[in-house]
Amino acid sequence: MSTVNQSLYEYLQNHTKEVTETWFKTLEEDDVDSVYSVKDADSIYKLMQQNSDYIKNLSRLFIAPASEVRQHILSWIGEIGSDRAHLQTPLNQMFREFVRTRDIYLSYIEKFVKESSVEVTKEQHEEWNYQVVKTLDFTIQHFIKKIDTNTTVQLEAQKEMINELSSPVILLQNSSALLPLVGDIDTARAKSILENTLAQCAEKGVDHLYLDLSGVVIIDTMVANEIFQLISALSIIGVRTTLSGIRPEIAQTAVQLGLSFDQIRIKSTLAQALAEN
C-alpha cells in the first residue's frame, strides 16, 4: 500500500460525515412511500448511518484488497436489502441515490488531489475513480439482486396469506363448518385451498364441511379435479362434504372429467344445504 493511498483513505474517513451530510442535504424526494422521504429524527439518523457505513466500506478500497472490500459491501447489502423501507422504494429511486453518492464521493477525491501536499499523478487519480465506479457497479448489481430476491419472498408470503384468507373454514355448530369460495380459482389457488382446508378442518375438529361454489364464476378441468380431490381427501380424514351453488358449466366440466357425484351430498343453494344442519 502506497503512502498516498493511506493519505487518501484517512482523508475520506475524516470526511465521511461530511460526504453523507452533503448527500442528505441535496436529497429531494416527493414520493411519500420512498425511504428517502423520511421526516422523523430516528428515520433520518438511520438513513444517514446507512449511507455513512457504505462510504466507510467504499473507502477501504485504497488500503485493502478488492475481495475484502466486496465482502464488507455484501454484508452491508444483506442488511439494507432486507430493510422494509428500502423494499418499498422503487428501484429507480435507489439507483439514482447510488449515482448521487458516487458523484459526491468522487468530488471529495478531487478535493483531496487538489489539497494534498503529496503529489498525485493523473494516472493515479484516474485509477482511483475507476476503482470507485467499478465498486459502485458491483454494489448496484448485487443490491438489485438482493432486493429482487427479498421482494419475491415477500410477495410469495403475501400471496400465501391472501390464499389462506380467501379460503376460510368458518365454524358453525355441531362440529360443522362452511367454506365459501369466491372469485377466480386457478390451479395454484385450488392446490392452496386443498392444503389449507384439510389443515383447518383437522385443527378445528370439523366433521361436516359445507362447500359453497356459488361465488365461483369459472372453473377449468384442472381446478374441478382439485376440488374433487379435496372432497376425497376430506372423506379420508372423516369429514363429510355437502356441495352447494354448483353452476351448470361446473357440473358439465365435472361430468366430462368422469368425476362421480355418487358419494357427495349436493344442494342447489347454500341456504338449502345449511337447512339440513
Side-chain angles (χ1 to χ4, degrees), residues 114-132:
K114 292 179 178 179
E115 298 172 5
S116 176
S117 58
V118 181
E119 183 180 353
V120 179
T121 65
K122 180 181 177 181
E123 291 75 16
Q124 180 68 75
H125 187 188
E126 290 176 349
E127 176 63 20
W128 288 339
N129 288 351
Y130 171 76
Q131 291 300 328
V132 169

Side-chain angles (χ1 to χ4, degrees), residues 3 10 14 26 48 67 148 163 165 175-176 182 202 236 239 275:
T3 302
E10 292 173 359
N14 291 335
T26 56
M48 293 182 69
S67 58
D148 182 62
N163 284 337
L165 293 174
S175 299
S176 62
V182 180
I236 292 174
V239 179

Side-chain angles (χ1 to χ4, degrees), residues 159 163-164 166-167 179 181-198 211 213 216 218-231 233:
K159 183 178 179 181
N163 284 337
E164 290 179 3
S166 66
S167 56
L179 174 59
L181 297 181
V182 180
D184 295 334
I185 301 179
D186 57 15
T187 305
R189 186 185 171 199
K191 289 182 178 179
S192 176
I193 289 171
L194 189 154
E195 295 171 1
N196 292 334
T197 301
L198 287 172
L211 178 56
L213 302 177
V216 180
I218 299 175
I219 291 182
D220 62 20
T221 55
M222 291 293 292
V223 173
N225 191 48
E226 288 286 345
I227 290 175
F228 274 78
Q229 284 188 26
L230 168 61
I231 294 170

Side-chain angles (χ1 to χ4, degrees), residues 171 174-177 198-208 238-239:
L171 282 176
N174 301 324
S175 299
S176 62
L198 287 172
Q200 290 183 65
C201 285
E203 180 183 338
K204 297 176 180 180
V206 175
D207 60 23
H208 190 174
V239 179

Side-chain angles (χ1 to χ4, degrees), residues 90-146:
L91 284 176
N92 67 296
Q93 294 177 8
M94 291 186 283
F95 181 81
R96 177 197 67 204
E97 295 311 314
F98 273 119
V99 172
R100 286 203 326 110
T101 297
R102 178 201 65 192
D103 292 344
I104 294 170
Y105 190 81
L106 289 176
S107 74
Y108 273 81
I109 293 180
E110 180 75 26
K111 287 182 181 181
F112 170 80
V113 172
K114 292 179 178 179
E115 298 172 5
S116 176
S117 58
V118 181
E119 183 180 353
V120 179
T121 65
K122 180 181 177 181
E123 291 75 16
Q124 180 68 75
H125 187 188
E126 290 176 349
E127 176 63 20
W128 288 339
N129 288 351
Y130 171 76
Q131 291 300 328
V132 169
V133 171
K134 188 176 180 180
T135 303
L136 257 296
D137 288 346
F138 170 86
T139 304
I140 292 171
Q141 176 187 349
H142 287 271
F143 184 81
I144 291 176
K145 182 179 179 180
K146 182 66 174 180

